[in-house]
Every structure is written in structure tokens, then in C-alpha cells.
Amino acid sequence: MPRTWSQAVDDWRSLDVDCLGHGSYLGVPRVDAVECTRARAPDWSVPMGSAATLCRPLKVARLIAAGRHCMATKLEE
């Protein structure tokens, strides 16, 4: 997470979004795990091109913003 995003990170904490910083580790499913084979087993919603392929932080931020918007819309209904 870029250091310049500290304000966004603070805002996301109020939404129970944790941002991992330098030196953090996160367990992820195997690259070929694209179908739910058992309850609570992690999988990918779309296949990955290769291991260690990460998306840019801005794309994650946009995903969080879209989810926040959807949640707000549901609360208004």
C-alpha cells in the first residue's frame, strides 16, 4: 500500500478493511483453485495467469470503493 494513501487507509479501517503494509504476509489459494471444491475452501473468482501476479493498489482501491457504494445503496433501500 503506497504511503501516500494514509488517509484512504484510515477511512477504510472504519469499514473493517485492513491494509497490510511492508513485511506483511497474506495466505492465498493455489493458482489453480478456481472452483469451490469444499465448504470454506478459498478459491479465485477468475483464473490467475501465473503465481505472484499482483494487481495494482489503485485497482484494489476501486474495488473497495465499488463495494462501499453497493453497501450504501443497499442500506438506502
Side-chain angles (χ1 to χ4, degrees):
M1 182 61 62
R3 288 188 180 110
T4 57
W5 290 22
S6 61
Q7 181 61 48
V9 171
D10 290 342
D11 291 345
W12 294 337
R13 280 194 185 108
S14 68
L15 302 170
D16 293 328
V17 174
D18 290 327
C19 295
L20 304 178
H22 181 72
S24 297
Y25 293 91
L26 176 67
V28 296
R30 293 176 17 171
V31 175
D32 61 351
V34 293
E35 292 183 19
C36 184
T37 56
R38 59 183 207 235
R40 296 189 176 206
D43 60 24
W44 298 104
S45 57
V46 295
M48 289 185 64
S50 66
T53 303
L54 303 174
C55 62
R56 299 211 175 271
L58 182 57
K59 290 189 177 193
V60 176
R62 288 178 177 160
L63 176 64
I64 293 168
R68 184 177 183 185
H69 175 76
C70 287
M71 290 174 62
T73 302
K74 289 286 184 188
L75 291 174
E76 291 174 1
E77 292 178 352

